[in-house]
Amino acid sequence: MDYTLNCNGQLLDLSEPRVMGILNATPDSFFAASRSQTEAEIAERTQQILQEGATMIDVGACSTRPDSEPVSEQEEMQRLRFALPIIRKQAPDAVVSVDTFRPNVARMVVEEHGVDIINDVGAPVNSKQLSASNQETMFRMVSRLRVPYIYMSRKSTMKEVMLDSAKVVDMLRSMGQKDIILDPGFGFGKTVEQNYRVFGELERMQALHLPVLVGISRKSMIWKLLGCSPAEALNSTTVLNTLALVKGASILRVHDVKEAMECVKITQQLEKVK
């Protein structure tokens, strides 16, 4: 897709797919190998993401895995205030996004740390801390901050994902939001079968004329289907990442950057020789 994001004045060209490496500054993310808490661990993971070829880093400080209880807003901010300066020191030119569902956290990371993108998966379904208007507050916050925004739909069919995304895009546009990325929300609000049905129709999202992010890395839709563990789901993740690129994904959000970069190189080569 011929699309450019304005990330703090740095233009990010999405005419070729990008890989976004996951860095979890949490003790409880579902994939244990992705957790980085000490200064050394955060620096090492940042360097690994860059060395393996990614130009985007997605930082999470509050787990949204199923059945998790979100930490307080203060704890999430504290983790990010610790992690982000380390990441910026190691990767001053990387595009950094923060995975949060809290408007105040979004404001803090942009205003204090110059974060480039807000990645919003919405509040955990079991969270009792947030009001029903939280997401609209987030819409207004990112529109005011003028940073690219990733919207994830929790709807369970592609038709509903498309309608939901179109409605949200209209709302965001009315608030002045410029750059929007859409995420069909694999692993959120969907059964295993529903995840695969949505994935099977992923190319339909191109009709919305916005970049699509696919975050499918080592998720339960893979290991529940195959009867394995997240640690054993790399090969299957690579298969789905490749298919996602064929179906038009602009960004792959992954734990395993090297393997995702290989997917991008192969699919791009196939495009060149058509």
Side-chain angles (χ1 to χ4, degrees):
M1 171 172 284
D2 187 11
Y3 198 94
T4 302
L5 300 176
N6 185 345
C7 299
N8 282 319
Q10 175 184 353
L11 296 181
L12 182 67
D13 182 11
L14 297 180
S15 60
E16 293 187 1
R18 297 279 180 160
V19 172
M20 173 187 281
I22 298 169
L23 193 159
N24 286 317
T26 61
D28 57 346
S29 297
F30 79 91
F31 181 46
S34 72
R35 302 169 191 166
S36 303
Q37 293 181 267
T38 68
E39 181 174 353
E41 289 171 342
I42 292 167
E44 182 180 3
R45 176 58 179 158
T46 302
Q47 284 298 317
Q48 180 187 20
I49 289 171
L50 295 180
Q51 289 167 4
E52 293 185 358
T55 54
M56 307 176 76
I57 302 173
D58 190 51
V59 186
C62 178
S63 177
T64 52
R65 63 179 172 81
D67 302 320
S68 66
E69 189 63 35
V71 298
S72 69
E73 183 171 282
Q74 291 71 27
E75 175 66 19
E76 185 181 4
M77 286 184 177
Q78 182 177 342
R79 291 175 180 179
L80 289 165
R81 285 186 171 117
F82 176 73
L84 288 170
I86 302 168
I87 295 165
R88 283 297 194 196
K89 182 178 179 180
Q90 296 293 322
D93 298 324
V95 172
V96 177
S97 71
V98 163
D99 178 344
T100 185
F101 55 87
R102 292 179 166 122
N104 286 334
V105 174
R107 178 178 60 192
M108 185 276 289
V109 297
V110 173
E111 292 181 349
E112 293 185 17
H113 299 280
V115 161
D116 302 289
I117 298 173
I118 296 300
N119 180 14
D120 180 13
V121 299
V125 294
N126 60 340
S127 174
K128 301 178 178 63
Q129 304 175 30
L130 302 167
S131 69
S133 63
N134 181 76
Q135 197 154 59
E136 185 172 344
T137 304
M138 178 65 92
F139 295 163
R140 296 189 183 284
M141 179 63 72
V142 294
S143 299
R144 183 175 71 79
L145 294 170
R146 299 194 180 282
V147 292
Y149 175 66
I150 302 169
Y151 173 71
M152 190 199 77
S153 177
R154 291 174 177 257
K155 300 299 183 181
S156 59
T157 70
M158 180 52 77
K159 179 180 179 180
E160 291 173 326
V161 168
M162 295 278 286
L163 290 172
D164 176 51
S165 298
K167 179 181 178 181
V168 167
V169 169
D170 284 345
M171 187 181 302
L172 286 164
R173 294 292 193 217
S174 73
M175 296 175 183
Q177 179 65 18
K178 302 296 184 185
D179 290 325
I180 304 166
I181 302 126
L182 301 176
D183 178 350
F186 295 112
F188 292 87
K190 304 168 183 65
T191 65
V192 170
E193 182 176 350
Q194 287 169 339
N195 276 301
Y196 282 99
R197 287 186 181 277
V198 170
F199 190 93
E201 300 181 86
L202 185 62
E203 64 275 7
R204 289 181 57 191
M205 295 193 71
Q206 300 302 302
L208 296 173
H209 303 291
L210 288 171
V212 173
L213 177 147
V214 169
I216 208 163
S217 183
R218 297 181 183 264
K219 287 190 173 176
S220 63
M221 64 177 281
I222 297 172
W223 49 265
K224 284 183 178 179
L225 179 70
L226 300 179
C228 62
S229 68
E232 300 168 301
L234 173 56
N235 182 63
S236 315
T237 295
T238 301
V239 171
L240 290 177
N241 278 335
T242 304
L243 291 171
L245 293 168
V246 172
K247 288 174 173 287
S250 294
I251 302 171
L252 297 178
R253 180 182 180 272
V254 302
H255 299 96
D256 308 283
V257 172
K258 176 179 177 290
E259 291 79 2
M261 289 299 301
E262 290 172 355
C263 296
V264 171
K265 289 178 182 177
I266 289 170
T267 55
Q268 287 299 107
Q269 183 63 28
L270 288 170
E271 283 293 316
K272 291 177 183 177
V273 299
K274 276 185 178 179

